[in-house]
Amino acid sequence: MTLTQLKQRSLLGLKELSQEEIESILDRAAYWENHETKVHHTLQGKFAANMFFENSTRTRFSFEVAEKRLGAEVLNFSAAVSSVQKGESVYDTVRTLESMGIDVGIIRLKPIGVLAELATKIKVPLINAGDGNNEHPTQALLDMYTMRKHFGQLKGLTVSIVGDVLHSRVARSNLWALQKFGVKVNFCSPPNMQASELDVSYVSMDEALKSDVVMMLRVQLERHESGMLSSAESYREHYGLTVERASKLAKHAIIMHPAPINRNVEIDDELVEHPQSRIFPQMENGVPIRMAVVERALS
Ligand code: NCD
């Protein structure tokens, strides 16, 4: 296989992916979602390795369910119980699994840039499961899928992404992908959590509440420098989706959040499973999206 073909099968981010390619992934996910049989033989005899160098619950299990539903053999690697603890590098770890014959690697990493470099050295297709605060393509795909399912189409929607944009790969992947579809994307965040390098308008919380989609982000304390968050109460007061604020949403609007959730900080407890919330459906949609992405990598 040529390097170009390999690159086409990898999924490192949505910034470089065309609208047509994104659409074909969403369509294929719809095919899998509507397929009643749970386990297929599509990827029988193929080995998928989930390599998580950073913690994960939803993304890791969702990939594993997707791979198993496609009939693949699944290997799970978690940095906490591997030789990474002995100082083995990311490259050596991935190269080790490659030499054992895996057919696709799903990778989550803390530092930005390592994945792009790995992709030039590793021969099997790689799928980004979140790299630093850069991109999280499968999360944005499942978010777009959830929006498309609710509204019928993406074009013309207004999506406000609220919260800790600075540390969010979810915000970046959504921004870059949604703009390709003619979606108006706004950000709303405290001044010290804004990402100045991104070409996007920042709006007030009142303005954000007028959107078709209000996507709340987790306050990502593990990525903060000390003192970024004065208190959870004051964050909720200024940037939280409270029950009172949610009552101002249009009837057709939906609430989203990639999770994990800090309940009663960025979103009130009562709103997580509110009729307008799509938080658990987002997780549900993650499986067919990842089936489409893994299948694409191995087809
Ligand atoms: C997100 C992530 O890891 O970037 N979560 C996820 O994959 N569902 C968002 C977050 O951690 O806040």
Side-chain angles (χ1 to χ4, degrees), residues 54-60 108 129-132 135-136 138-139 142 167-170 217-220 222-223 257-262 266 283 290:
E54 194 194 81
N55 295 346
S56 174
T57 301
R58 265 152 299 274
T59 308
R60 197 183 76 69
R108 171 172 283 198
D131 70 319
E135 281 234 36
H136 192 349
T138 57
Q139 178 67 42
L142 75 88
H167 301 102
S168 179
R169 49 196 176 206
V170 177
L217 298 174
R218 182 174 66 91
V219 182
Q220 296 173 65
E222 77 281 14
R223 295 177 196 269
H257 190 308
I261 299 160
N262 294 307
E266 69 265 358
M283 296 177 207
R290 292 180 173 115

Side-chain angles (χ1 to χ4, degrees), residues 197-240:
E197 82 284 5
L198 298 174
D199 182 20
V200 63
S201 33
Y202 281 87
V203 298
S204 66
M205 200 57 192
D206 278 344
E207 194 58 33
L209 296 176
K210 295 178 188 157
S211 312
D212 302 302
V213 178
V214 178
M215 185 187 292
M216 304 306 295
L217 298 174
R218 182 174 66 91
V219 182
Q220 296 173 65
L221 290 173
E222 77 281 14
R223 295 177 196 269
H224 282 204
E225 287 164 19
S226 67
M228 279 194 79
L229 183 71
S230 58
S231 77
E233 291 75 24
S234 115
Y235 185 90
R236 176 177 174 272
E237 189 187 326
H238 295 102
Y239 293 96

Side-chain angles (χ1 to χ4, degrees), residues 13 20 36 46 63 89 94 100 124 136 145 154 245 289:
E20 292 68 36
E36 276 180 13
K46 300 284 186 190
F63 267 112
S89 73
V94 179
M100 291 176 185
V124 296
H136 192 349
Y145 185 83
L154 295 169
R245 286 198 176 109
I289 279 291

Side-chain angles (χ1 to χ4, degrees), residues 17-27 180-181:
L17 219 59
S18 69
Q19 185 184 345
E20 292 68 36
E21 279 176 286
I22 295 176
E23 231 153 14
S24 80
I25 296 173
L26 301 182
D27 291 344
K180 295 181 205 273
F181 283 77

